[in-house]
Amino acid sequence: MKQTEENREKILEIKRRQEEIGREKGLRGIKLTLSYDGTNFGGWQVQDNARTVQGEIEKVNEKIFGEKVRVTGSGRTDAGVHADGQVCMMQVKTNIKVEALPLIYNTKLPKDIVVLKAEEVPVSFHPIEDVKSKVYEYKILNSDFRNVRLRNYTYFVPRKLNLDAMKEAASYFVGEHDFVGFAQAGIVATDTIREIFSCDVDKDENEIITIRVCGHGFLHNMVRIIAGTLIYVGQGTIDPKNIPSIIESKDRSKAGFTAPAYGLTMKEVHYIDEDINEK
């Protein structure tokens, strides 16, 4: 949502104070960009009864920094969801050079997580609040037979989908809408209005359909429900021209199914100041 000038000034003042406190405590802000295979994770967020990405990063933090250091992610990917560009941030006291951190992490992390980049950022940087846009991709294998090597990364649909209808339907998601009808039932959120900057559908020579959605932020399961809705469009169950009225209805039962988690990948996260590391 757009910030008012007054709110922006308040945010800047809070950030200035955070910077002062951080300097007083000798803290550095470290931003990590991660890739992970979500197949064997219970999601991003730490849980008592499941292996999580945040939990594995924080275990390694204790080994590297000699103390517990919490990380905050740009989004809480669900169990089975993958990432090529998840971002997390931490505040820590350390003399380790930031350019050395990816190698240090990658020698200690399990094989299904990789740190792609480490950057120094202001301690006031917030990986959620400072987001300008996020990009997710949902992949569908639309072929006669399953591909066993892609079973954890694509949703298999054997019936040929109408790509042109899916493309038309995707265009109606672009813009600012109340997407409560495209969120998990029973969602607890004070604001369900989200802005989608682009929603594209393409098919490659390997019969993989990619739904690529870019927006400021997303409700829980929103991209997976958009994907499920576009699959219904491709199958002829939903007319593409009905998408605007489905959005306007705010009725979850009128949208498509929630597509399985394993077809979804968090691709990119962009920030308000892309040169945030240049303090």
Side-chain angles (χ1 to χ4, degrees):
M1 297 298 292
K2 297 178 178 67
Q3 294 179 359
T4 65
E5 189 60 32
E6 183 180 358
N7 285 341
R8 179 169 173 76
E9 283 302 317
K10 286 180 181 178
I11 292 169
L12 290 174
E13 180 55 37
I14 291 170
K15 285 183 173 291
R16 282 191 287 268
R17 182 58 184 150
Q18 289 173 336
E19 285 299 313
E20 290 174 5
I21 295 171
R23 283 194 295 270
E24 290 170 4
K25 293 183 176 181
L27 295 173
R28 293 168 63 190
I30 304 294
K31 171 187 168 191
L32 302 178
T33 302
L34 313 171
S35 174
Y36 51 84
D37 181 331
T39 303
N40 296 316
F41 287 109
W44 163 265
Q45 190 176 13
V46 168
Q47 302 171 39
D48 292 334
N49 58 352
R51 178 175 179 257
T52 68
V53 181
Q54 182 185 18
E56 295 293 340
I57 296 291
E58 291 182 0
K59 284 179 191 176
V60 172
N61 278 352
E62 195 163 1
K63 294 176 183 178
I64 294 173
F65 304 116
E67 61 177 336
K68 291 183 178 180
V69 178
R70 188 168 179 80
V71 296
T72 301
S74 66
R76 298 175 180 177
T77 52
D78 289 334
V81 175
H82 315 289
D84 289 337
Q86 169 71 286
V87 171
C88 66
M89 186 268 188
M90 58 191 165
Q91 298 176 355
V92 63
K93 290 181 181 179
T94 182
N95 293 321
I96 299 174
K97 292 182 178 180
V98 70
E99 57 268 25
L101 284 172
L103 179 59
I104 295 171
Y105 273 100
N106 292 335
T107 57
K108 300 178 184 300
L109 283 168
K111 294 185 184 300
D112 45 6
I113 308 177
V114 172
V115 173
L116 302 173
K117 188 194 304 185
E119 303 167 80
E120 185 137 9
V121 294
V123 294
S124 60
F125 170 75
H126 198 287
I128 298 175
E129 294 174 2
D130 294 339
V131 165
K132 179 170 66 176
S133 65
K134 293 181 182 179
V135 178
Y136 282 87
E137 286 186 355
Y138 196 90
K139 291 192 177 292
I140 303 157
L141 178 61
N142 191 207
S143 64
D144 293 333
F145 301 103
R146 298 178 183 277
N147 183 319
V148 294
R149 288 176 293 178
L150 297 177
R151 68 188 185 281
N152 293 326
Y153 313 103
T154 59
Y155 176 54
F156 174 59
V157 179
R159 178 182 170 187
K160 187 175 181 180
L161 298 174
N162 185 330
L163 196 66
D164 289 336
M166 293 174 72
K167 287 183 176 184
E168 180 186 348
S171 69
Y172 295 120
F173 289 108
V174 177
E176 190 173 84
H177 308 285
D178 188 338
F179 281 102
V180 67
F182 288 80
Q184 177 177 292
I187 184 174
V188 178
T190 56
D191 181 8
T192 53
I193 295 174
R194 295 292 184 272
E195 184 174 6
I196 299 297
F197 304 131
S198 63
C199 186
D200 302 300
V201 183
D202 292 294
K203 188 172 185 178
D204 67 17
E205 64 278 7
N206 297 313
E207 299 183 290
I208 294 175
I209 294 174
T210 299
I211 299 167
R212 184 178 176 91
V213 187
C214 176
H216 179 262
F218 301 93
L219 300 171
H220 190 208
N221 283 348
M222 180 173 155
V223 178
R224 289 167 58 191
I225 295 169
I226 288 174
T229 302
L230 291 177
I231 290 169
Y232 274 179
V233 169
Q235 292 173 334
T237 305
I238 293 176
D239 189 309
K241 290 181 173 53
N242 288 340
I243 295 299
S245 62
I246 292 172
I247 296 172
E248 189 175 349
S249 75
K250 305 177 188 178
D251 185 346
R252 174 67 189 89
S253 67
K254 292 184 177 180
F257 71 105
T258 304
Y262 53 81
L264 185 63
T265 299
M266 175 189 277
K267 295 295 292 184
E268 303 166 12
V269 185
H270 299 286
Y271 287 92
I272 294 168
D273 182 357
E274 291 291 359
D275 297 319
I276 192 75
N277 57 313
E278 296 180 9
K279 296 188 290 182

